[in-house]
């Protein structure tokens, strides 16, 4: 038996050392840090702009679905059914800002860089693919050659 057996720890180490697992771990860490930045922008910039037209905290935007509705001093619902659409609006704004920053500051520049690299180093031309008709002709010629049998050897004089 020439196959080398690896134990559980060996398999786990091989799994961890794959490039895509490490890339994924880096992406999660960067994403978590980036989320903090976006949340700060929403709370520090977007919410005050919205607050100029209403309340500063979007979480207070709500509609009473089934009344009478009442909240206590902490803002918790004590009576009735509230639809808290301000929270959804805040999450939507956070998502849109995150998506815009990722696209315009990460994906778009990366695509431009890849396009420039591709223009500098044009791809090698791919070899011509054998068409179906050419392949069928080759098969036909091989079958004809099989039916004929070997070429007779000319007699020597």
């Amino acid at each position: 038996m020439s196959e080398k057996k690896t134990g559980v720890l060996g398999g786990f180490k091989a799994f961890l050392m794959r490039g895509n697992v490490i890339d994924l771990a880096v992406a999660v860490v960067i994403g978590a840090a980036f989320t903090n930045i976006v949340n700060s922008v929403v709370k520090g910039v977007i919410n005050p702009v919205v607050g100029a037209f209403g309340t500063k905290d979007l979480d207070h935007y709500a509609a009473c679905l089934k009344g009478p509705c009442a909240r206590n001093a902490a803002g918790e619902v004590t009576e009735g059914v509230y639809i808290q659409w301000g929270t959804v609006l805040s999450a939507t704004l956070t998502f849109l800002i995150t998506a815009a920053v990722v696209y315009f500051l990460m994906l778009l520049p990366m695509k431009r860089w890849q396009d420039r690299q591709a223009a500098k180093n044009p791809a090698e031309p791919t070899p011509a693919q054998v068409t179906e008709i050419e392949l069928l002709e080759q098969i036909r010629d091989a079958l004809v050659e099989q039916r004929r049998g070997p070429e007779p050897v000319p007699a020597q004089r």
Side-chain angles (χ1 to χ4, degrees):
M1 242 180 158
S2 63
E3 290 182 17
K4 181 180 175 185
K5 285 193 171 187
T6 58
V8 174
L9 291 177
F12 184 66
K13 179 182 175 188
F15 168 74
L16 288 179
M17 298 316 279
R18 280 192 211 161
N20 56 356
V21 173
I22 294 171
D23 291 343
L24 182 61
V26 169
V28 168
V29 170
I30 296 294
F34 186 67
T35 299
N36 288 335
I37 293 170
V38 172
N39 287 337
S40 296
V41 168
V42 169
K43 288 181 181 174
V45 177
I46 302 297
N47 285 355
V49 169
V50 173
F53 303 104
T55 179
K56 183 177 178 184
D57 189 6
L58 292 178
D59 292 338
H60 291 313
Y61 285 107
C64 182
L65 184 64
K66 184 176 179 183
C69 295
R71 291 185 184 191
N72 61 14
E76 298 169 346
V77 177
T78 57
E79 204 176 321
V81 177
Y82 273 102
I83 303 273
Q84 298 188 349
W85 59 271
T87 305
V88 175
L89 178 63
S90 179
T92 303
L93 288 173
T94 301
F95 171 77
L96 290 175
I97 291 169
T98 304
V101 168
V102 167
Y103 180 76
F104 290 112
L105 296 181
M106 295 177 188
L107 293 178
L108 198 59
M110 180 61 80
K111 181 168 177 10
R112 287 182 182 161
W113 179 79
Q114 287 174 341
D115 291 345
R116 281 195 305 266
Q117 293 301 318
K120 286 181 186 176
N121 304 324
E124 297 177 13
T126 57
Q129 296 289 330
V130 177
T131 64
E132 188 175 346
I133 292 175
E134 291 172 336
L135 185 60
L136 289 173
E137 287 174 350
Q138 290 174 3
I139 293 171
R140 179 201 61 203
D141 293 345
L143 289 173
V144 167
E145 204 54 42
Q146 266 185 342
R147 283 188 184 165
R148 284 188 192 155
E151 295 276 330
V153 178
Q156 293 182 352
R157 292 185 193 206

